[in-house]
Amino acid sequence: MDILPLDRDDDVMLKELHGLAARSEAVSRVQPVRRTEDEFLKMVRFEFPGEREEAAVATVDGAPVGWARLFVPERDNRDKCWSHVEVDPAHRRQGVGAALADWLEERARAAGRDMLLTEVFVPVGDRETHASREFARRRGYSVTSVEIVRSLPLPVAPDLLTTELHRAAEAMGDDYQLSVHVDGVPPELRQGVCDASNRLILDAPTGEVEFEPESMTVEDYETLLTHLRDTGRTMVTAVAVHRPTGVVAAYTDLSVPTGDPDIVFQWGTLVLPEHRGRRLGMAVKAANLAELARLAPGRRSVQTMNDEQNPWMVQINVDLGFRVIEEALTVRKLL
Ligand SMILES: CC(C)(COP(=O)(O)OP(=O)(O)OC[C@H]1O[C@@H](n2cnc3c(N)ncnc32)[C@H](O)[C@@H]1OP(=O)(O)O)[C@@H](O)C(=O)NCCC(=O)NCCS
């Protein structure tokens, strides 16, 4: 077996990895997501500003059998790296995962990081015994937090959204302006959305690991919008602006991919601390779901992940009809 750096200009290799990732996901995830080759290639080639990526492929006789990605934040959280490793189901239990994990740990150390984080998805009830969890445990990773993956069957009953929007409007009063935007918020709201998004990691419970705020700029946000447009992904964003100050008090993003015609992903949702308790979280989520129903009526589910220690966000999701499908364990190795 060889472990080689991934050349992200190598179309042939990336197309093989597209197949490998799909086979791995089909057996490893409760609700596997389909991706077109084009979408996969663009996703692998995109680097979010401020985060460097390194990747490697494990090959046997020249053919890929597994791959690993290392995400190295360069502006904030410079003690950590995130990682992802995937082995073709036909080649599991032959030391490929271990060799890729060695590579990840070595590269993380070379980047001066002392903490490597990764997510391990397991079916509900399999937290202790699942193969991927066992792999991580054997490699010296411990669980620092657990997120619960939930799925909302679509369509949501229009009455439910109307009722929730009505209750939220009463709690919000006239102080907040609710609006929904497709493919990015207008320029005057971009700094506010970046500010809210940057503190998400501080405010959402993340177990034992301490995070610094992120540092997305308006320019980075625009780079992301260009990438999403390029991959054909639609982003739907609802914001609540506090009228007296003009501050973006709450926002939420839904991401509608091209490759899988069924699914929609819930991305970040945040209500600024000083604006909590006025149902702004429900307001932005319900408004976004109403727009999603208009824009993409054929989608069948929305998938979200919340820390199990986040009752506020979870309650909103449960009220909207989200149901538990899977768990995501955040595991950490101190290097
Ligand atoms: C987790 C994963 C990467 C392991 O890859 P792999 O190539 O099968 O792993 P290895 O053969 O290197 O296994 C190393 C050790 O992990 C443990 N392990 C791996 N698979 C296991 C299983 N099915 N049951 C119990 N232990 C297992 C064993 O201790 C194994 O050593 P051993 O075979 O000498 O007993 C692979 O199952 C995978 O791609 N899963 C889906 C993606 C994923 O969950 N990634 C995150 C992992 S942290």
Side-chain angles (χ1 to χ4, degrees), residues 91-164:
H91 295 271
R92 289 189 183 173
R93 215 61 206 269
Q94 294 163 34
V96 178
L100 287 167
D102 282 343
W103 179 86
L104 282 168
E105 288 162 25
E106 184 213 307
R107 297 309 307 154
R109 279 194 203 96
R113 308 304 159 115
D114 53 26
M115 189 191 304
L116 191 52
L117 295 161
T118 190
E119 259 168 357
V120 180
F121 289 90
V122 301
V124 176
D126 217 356
R127 212 184 264 194
E128 291 306 322
T129 50
H130 189 268
S132 301
R133 168 78 178 97
E134 194 49 38
F135 170 79
R137 194 193 333 261
R138 283 291 196 95
R139 301 279 326 168
Y141 290 75
S142 59
V143 176
T144 58
S145 61
V146 179
E147 292 201 60
I148 307 296
V149 186
R150 288 183 172 80
S151 177
L152 172 67
L154 296 177
V156 182
D159 283 0
L160 175 65
L161 294 182
T162 310
T163 307
E164 290 297 352

Side-chain angles (χ1 to χ4, degrees), residues 17 20 44 71 92 106 154 164 225 234 252 269 292:
L17 290 179
L20 187 159
V44 173
F71 304 93
R92 289 189 183 173
E106 184 213 307
L154 296 177
E164 290 297 352
L225 293 182
T234 303
T252 190
T269 301
L292 177 71

